[in-house]
Amino acid sequence: MVISIPTAAAAADEIRALRERMHRMTDGVPRMPLDTHPALSGVVQLRTGGAYEVDSAALALALMAGPSRAGAWCAVVGVPDLGAEAAAEVGVELGRTVLVPEPGDLWLEATAALVDVAQVVVVRPPGRVAEHLAEKLGARLRKRGAVLVACGPWPRAEVRLSATESRWTGVGRGEGALRARRLVVEARRGAAPARRTSLWFPALDAPLRRAEPTTEATPARLAPVREAG
């Protein structure tokens, strides 16, 4: 009689598969995938009931764009500097977007209420979020089949997205104008290896698109500069 002993790699793969199944099924409610902007395809997949953390409003807009273009209602809480024009250009349907720019101390109540009516809710907390509050809101997300995108730290975020290596092009030796920005988006999910992709955001020919995986040429006569601030 031969007993098969799984290798460490096989055991790790099985554990990852089980964790994925648990992520997709929480509180007995199936976790459905939402549309993702093509530029972020393969880097992050939004699923109903999940909370996602981003380090900028720009990345929040990129995550909103896919579901919004597919017909979902979205909401933005506590982001007074959100650019409506930039949101529309990247694909967010403003006619199906609720804006609460300055909720004050009622940001959590406003967020919870909007989870009941919008499928994607973006929020910028005014400070540190207690873990028990995040878990309570998480239960509401799972029940309503909604997604939370937090601009800033969020306890137990499913995926954390950050933008690095930002380079603007368009300014030469004191002349010209900022026209395009290339950056690297990194997505971290728990202890798994980070997923990375290069984006033009904005690009010369589109508000947002994937950069070539190799050394894509910088547009003619455009010199890269460091992003201000």
Side-chain angles (χ1 to χ4, degrees), residues 50-94:
Y52 300 80
E53 179 185 305
V54 297
D55 67 353
S56 68
L59 285 180
L61 291 181
L63 290 180
M64 287 174 60
S68 181
R69 289 195 301 185
W73 275 83
C74 299
V76 183
V77 181
V79 190
D81 56 346
L82 180 80
E85 183 177 351
E89 287 180 352
V90 82
V92 176
E93 294 291 338
L94 298 180

Side-chain angles (χ1 to χ4, degrees), residues 75-139:
V76 183
V77 181
V79 190
D81 56 346
L82 180 80
E85 183 177 351
E89 287 180 352
V90 82
V92 176
E93 294 291 338
L94 298 180
R96 292 194 301 272
T97 302
V98 179
L99 301 178
V100 185
E102 297 183 2
D105 293 337
L106 299 178
W107 71 271
L108 185 60
E109 289 82 353
T111 302
L114 287 168
V115 165
D116 291 344
V117 297
Q119 193 161 32
V120 179
V121 178
V122 174
V123 61
R124 180 186 287 165
R128 180 179 176 276
V129 179
E131 192 153 340
H132 73 279
L133 294 178
E135 180 54 38
K136 185 175 181 180
L137 191 56

Side-chain angles (χ1 to χ4, degrees), residues 12-54:
D13 288 341
E14 186 173 353
I15 290 172
R16 278 194 291 269
L18 289 172
R19 285 177 175 171
E20 182 65 22
R21 290 178 61 187
M22 291 174 65
H23 277 300
R24 293 183 183 183
M25 181 70 75
T26 307
D27 296 345
V29 180
R31 300 194 56 200
M32 307 302 295
L34 299 183
D35 284 71
T36 302
H37 193 287
L40 296 175
S41 173
V43 179
V44 61
Q45 173 63 68
L46 295 179
R47 292 188 180 277
T48 57
Y52 300 80
E53 179 185 305
V54 297

Side-chain angles (χ1 to χ4, degrees), residues 40 42-45 52-53 59 158-163 184-190 192-197:
L40 296 175
V43 179
V44 61
Q45 173 63 68
Y52 300 80
E53 179 185 305
L59 285 180
E158 189 164 310
V159 179
R160 292 176 166 84
L161 280 83
S162 59
V184 174
V185 172
E186 184 176 271
R188 292 190 174 276
R189 182 182 185 123
R195 295 184 177 183
R196 293 163 58 91
T197 189

